[in-house]
Amino acid sequence: MTDFDAVYERRGTGSSKWSKYPTDILPMWVADMDFPAAPEILEAIRNRLEHPMLGYGVARDELRARIVEDMQSKYHWSITPEDIVFLPGVEPGFNMGLKAMLEPGDGLVVQTPVYRPILNAPSHWGLVRNDVPLRQTEHGYVMDVDPLAAALSQSRALLLCNPQNPTGKVFTKDELTEIATLCRDNDALIISDEIHCDLLFDGRHHIPIATLSEETANRTITLMAASKTFNIAGLKTAFAIIQNKSIRERFVLSKLGMVDSVNVLGLEATLAAYTHASGWKARMLSYIQANRDYLSQQVALRFPAIRLIKAEATFLAWLDCSELGLAGDPQAFFLEHGKVGFSAGSEFGAAYGDYVRVNFGCPRALLSEGLDRMERALGKR
């Protein structure tokens, strides 16, 4: 059984997270958890390696069937195996969708703050990015309908992130219905990044926007993966669910030599994750929810000037440091004076330079050390 408190040395393993900074920096930036993968996943990979051939991979029928069953059992969503397109990542997926379905000069709605690959995607294809900020309230982040409606009236598509990164917001059924209605009224495509859909807290349930109606499903590309939930992002495996055959065919044609076949070990790991690792997932979710609560309590106690709204999902916290009175970028401040590496708020939109994003998907000892380093940095002022 996985010990989520165990701290593993990841330097020297080719880890992006742990290679970014010098060894005296504690990295708490990229959305990569510091937990071992589920034993069932590791066993599946070892079993696959008993066969010495590692050629190009293709999803086996068992994996397609497993995803079909998963969507039905979790969301009462009836899809077919043919609706699934396997990909080497969610980011290639939404870029494929934009390339396939939009033309240079078209408008694309993005809700900010949002993680950098989504923020940057429109510029790859000559699209006009129409930002619609989420509004911070005492009880969470909310979506204002009028600005969204105005932006969609000038756009061909919405690139949705639900659960939302970095705020940890989970869109409610009413909000998703409003989004779907506005997209219908403006004949807008929906590309929905739902990679954190299994990482919800406090008994919340994820709602794929495509499940709201047949009409909504018919204009939606849904992107999912086991990678964030089961900490197997390095195996480069994800999938799109596209029920509209015409959109699916255009999507597949948009590979254009840029998106190749999926990692053969990643396909095996994904099958094992969805088939055998539910127990590991439940224990991990309990652990990171406790981490979220600990982080929230410690920030309120030790840093009352920092505003933190508890994440409803993900393993990421969005800290508003604007009241700390720092002279410059809080990410740079904590990096220099605390030797702790967060994600800079400016990466999530130009208006968010006073924020940092903190990854709390780690052993409690590392989270506690990160807080101690923040406290020491602020004490040096």
Side-chain angles (χ1 to χ4, degrees):
M1 184 177 294
T2 301
D3 178 3
F4 293 100
D5 281 320
V7 177
Y8 289 79
E9 178 58 71
R10 296 186 66 187
R11 293 185 179 90
T13 64
S15 163
S16 173
K17 180 178 185 178
W18 287 83
S19 299
K20 182 178 175 68
Y21 295 114
T23 57
D24 62 337
I25 304 296
L26 176 63
M28 302 184 75
W29 61 288
V30 69
D32 174 340
M33 295 191 291
D34 287 304
F35 302 133
E40 296 86 352
I41 293 174
L42 299 175
E43 181 182 11
I45 293 172
R46 282 191 290 267
N47 289 341
R48 175 60 182 82
L49 289 173
E50 289 299 314
H51 194 291
M53 302 297 180
L54 296 173
Y56 293 120
V58 63
R60 293 189 283 130
D61 290 344
E62 294 95 319
L63 177 53
R64 291 183 180 275
R66 178 66 258 178
I67 292 171
V68 169
E69 292 169 12
D70 214 43
M71 296 302 110
Q72 183 63 50
S73 64
K74 287 179 181 174
Y75 313 121
H76 307 292
W77 187 10
S78 297
I79 66 169
T80 70
E82 293 72 30
D83 295 333
I84 305 166
V85 181
F86 286 92
L87 304 163
V90 161
E91 183 180 350
F94 56 69
N95 277 284
M96 284 172 61
L98 296 176
K99 174 63 175 173
M101 304 303 298
L102 276 67
E103 299 291 336
D106 286 343
L108 175 69
V109 175
V110 170
Q111 293 169 302
T112 57
V114 72
Y115 77 111
R116 187 162 52 182
I118 283 183
L119 207 62
N120 291 347
S123 64
H124 301 328
W125 311 110
L127 307 176
V128 177
R129 197 183 80 207
N130 294 319
D131 293 357
V132 180
L134 295 171
R135 181 162 52 86
Q136 182 175 284
T137 72
E138 291 297 325
H139 305 291
Y141 291 87
V142 299
M143 178 190 83
D144 290 324
V145 174
D146 289 345
L148 180 61
L152 280 168
S153 71
Q154 305 172 52
S155 303
R156 290 271 320 281
L158 166 70
L159 182 45
L160 179 66
C161 184
N162 179 39
Q164 217 268 344
N165 173 2
T167 65
K169 172 181 173 58
V170 175
F171 285 84
T172 66
K173 185 174 183 179
D174 287 346
E175 288 175 320
L176 293 171
T177 300
E178 191 73 61
I179 290 170
T181 299
L182 289 172
C183 289
R184 180 201 65 198
D185 292 347
N186 290 280
D187 194 23
L189 175 75
I190 302 169
I191 302 176
S192 188
D193 174 350
E194 303 185 13
I195 196 170
H196 289 101
C197 62
D198 280 326
L199 294 165
L200 275 65
F201 302 132
D202 308 314
R204 292 180 177 86
H205 298 283
H206 176 69
I207 302 172
I209 193 168
T211 63
L212 294 181
S213 69
E214 183 178 352
E215 194 281 334
T216 303
N218 216 34
R219 67 171 66 251
T220 299
I221 297 170
T222 302
L223 299 164
M224 293 179 171
S227 56
K228 298 298 182 185
T229 302
F230 296 94
N231 205 34
I232 53 174
L235 293 175
K236 310 304 288 185
T237 303
F239 55 92
I241 299 174
I242 311 172
Q243 291 172 282
N244 183 313
K245 184 179 179 182
S246 174
I247 293 177
R248 186 168 66 248
E249 289 174 348
R250 290 176 65 178
F251 180 86
V252 172
L253 287 173
S254 70
K255 289 183 176 182
L256 296 174
M258 296 181 293
V259 178
D260 203 351
S261 61
V262 179
N263 185 309
V264 65
L265 298 181
L267 293 168
E268 294 297 326
T270 299
L271 177 58
Y274 289 144
T275 306
H276 302 299
S278 59
W280 182 95
K281 182 179 78 172
R283 293 188 295 274
M284 178 275 298
L285 279 171
S286 177
Y287 191 93
I288 63 171
Q289 180 170 312
N291 268 2
R292 179 207 60 172
D293 294 343
Y294 171 75
L295 174 62
S296 299
Q297 182 264 336
Q298 289 295 307
V299 166
L301 180 68
R302 297 158 73 171
F303 317 110
I306 295 178
R307 187 175 187 190
L308 169 60
I309 296 172
K310 274 188 177 183
E312 299 171 342
T314 80
F315 46 86
L316 305 165
W318 187 232
L319 277 60
D320 180 353
C321 302
S322 57
E323 298 301 316
L324 285 178
L326 302 177
D329 174 9
Q331 190 272 348
F333 173 84
F334 288 119
L335 183 64
E336 179 181 356
H337 299 287
K339 304 298 182 184
V340 57
F342 302 131
S343 293
S346 57
E347 296 180 2
F348 302 84
Y352 305 100
D354 288 328
Y355 289 74
V356 294
R357 190 188 72 175
V358 178
N359 179 344
F360 57 83
C362 59
R364 179 66 60 82
L366 294 182
L367 179 57
S368 181
E369 174 64 21
L371 289 164
D372 290 346
R373 291 183 182 216
M374 289 178 66
E375 191 168 41
R376 288 197 293 271
L378 292 168
K380 291 176 182 177
R381 287 191 300 171

